């Protein structure tokens, strides 16, 4: 496994739409493994392809038990999802805080639909279906935004809703 270099805000690749994945190759599987390793290294709960310069529609997500005390009820499941499609979502929005491995030292508050239902493909090529709410919904939205060239900061309104944080390198809520 390899910890990949992060693509940071200001790099055009974070504003580009990632391409659909047409073939699950050994290289892609290796990249997925590296993405998980890179996400964990940065204490993140999600990471999308473009954040390591892979302009393909793949993201990983995982809420570790160490994310909070007591462990978040959604912790302990690892997601590696290709070509995610949003097939339904809540009409109601919830406010929450986010940050991003690619936007080090900042944190913001924004509204996201309360739940999301997606269809995607796993690394075995099987179609998978997930309907998630709470923190995982926020992570899925955040990562799918990355695949469409959008950052959470693009969705923030009002300067009060974006602030600097001390970058300790151990923030456990980065996406
Ligand atoms: Ni992010």
């Amino acid at each position: 496994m390899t910890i990949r270099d992060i693509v940071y805000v200001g790099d055009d690749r974070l504003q580009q739409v990632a391409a659909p994945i047409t073939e699950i190759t050994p290289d892609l599987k290796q990249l997925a493994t590296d993405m998980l390793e890179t996400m964990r290294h940065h204490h993140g709960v999600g990471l999308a392809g473009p954040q390591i310069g892979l302009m393909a529609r793949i993201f990983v997500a995982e809420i570790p038990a160490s994310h909070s005390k007591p462990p978040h009820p959604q912790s302990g499941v690892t997601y590696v999802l290709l070509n995610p499609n949003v097939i339904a979502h809540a009409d109601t929005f919830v406010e929450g805080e986010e940050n991003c491995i690619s936007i080090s030292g900042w944190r913001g508050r924004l509204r996201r639909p309360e739940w999301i239902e997606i269809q995607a493909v796993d690394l075995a090529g099987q179609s998978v279906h997930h309907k998630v709410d709470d923190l995982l919904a926020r992570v899925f939205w955040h990562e799918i935004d990355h695949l469409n060239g959008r950052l959470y900061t693009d969705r923030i309104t009002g300067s009060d809703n974006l602030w600097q944080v001390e970058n300790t390198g151990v923030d456990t809520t980065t996406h």
Side-chain angles (χ1 to χ4, degrees), residues 106-160:
W106 292 85
R107 187 169 182 85
R109 186 184 303 114
L110 65 155
R111 289 153 61 82
R112 299 276 194 186
E114 194 169 11
W115 54 263
I116 181 173
E117 185 173 0
I118 68 162
Q119 181 274 327
V121 175
D122 68 15
L123 276 181
Q126 301 295 310
S127 179
V128 293
H129 183 271
H130 295 291
K131 184 178 178 183
V132 295
D133 61 4
D134 199 21
L135 179 58
L136 265 183
R138 185 164 292 276
V139 175
F140 279 24
W141 284 118
H142 181 116
E143 303 314 328
I144 291 169
D145 267 357
H146 272 303
L147 302 183
N148 293 325
R150 297 195 78 166
L151 300 172
Y152 80 91
T153 47
D154 298 333
R155 295 191 179 278
I156 284 183
T157 51
S159 56
D160 289 353

Side-chain angles (χ1 to χ4, degrees), residues 51 99-101 142-143 146 175:
Q51 292 184 273
N99 51 7
C100 181
I101 292 169
H142 181 116
E143 303 314 328
H146 272 303
H175 303 300

Side-chain angles (χ1 to χ4, degrees), residues 58-97:
I58 177 172
F59 76 82
V60 298
E62 178 186 73
I63 301 169
S66 59
H67 175 76
S68 59
K69 286 183 182 172
H72 194 278
Q74 294 175 317
S75 67
V77 182
T78 302
Y79 298 88
V80 178
L81 298 172
L82 321 179
N83 297 339
N85 284 315
V86 180
I87 55 178
H89 61 77
D91 294 329
T92 48
F93 286 70
V94 286
E95 192 170 80
E97 292 186 7

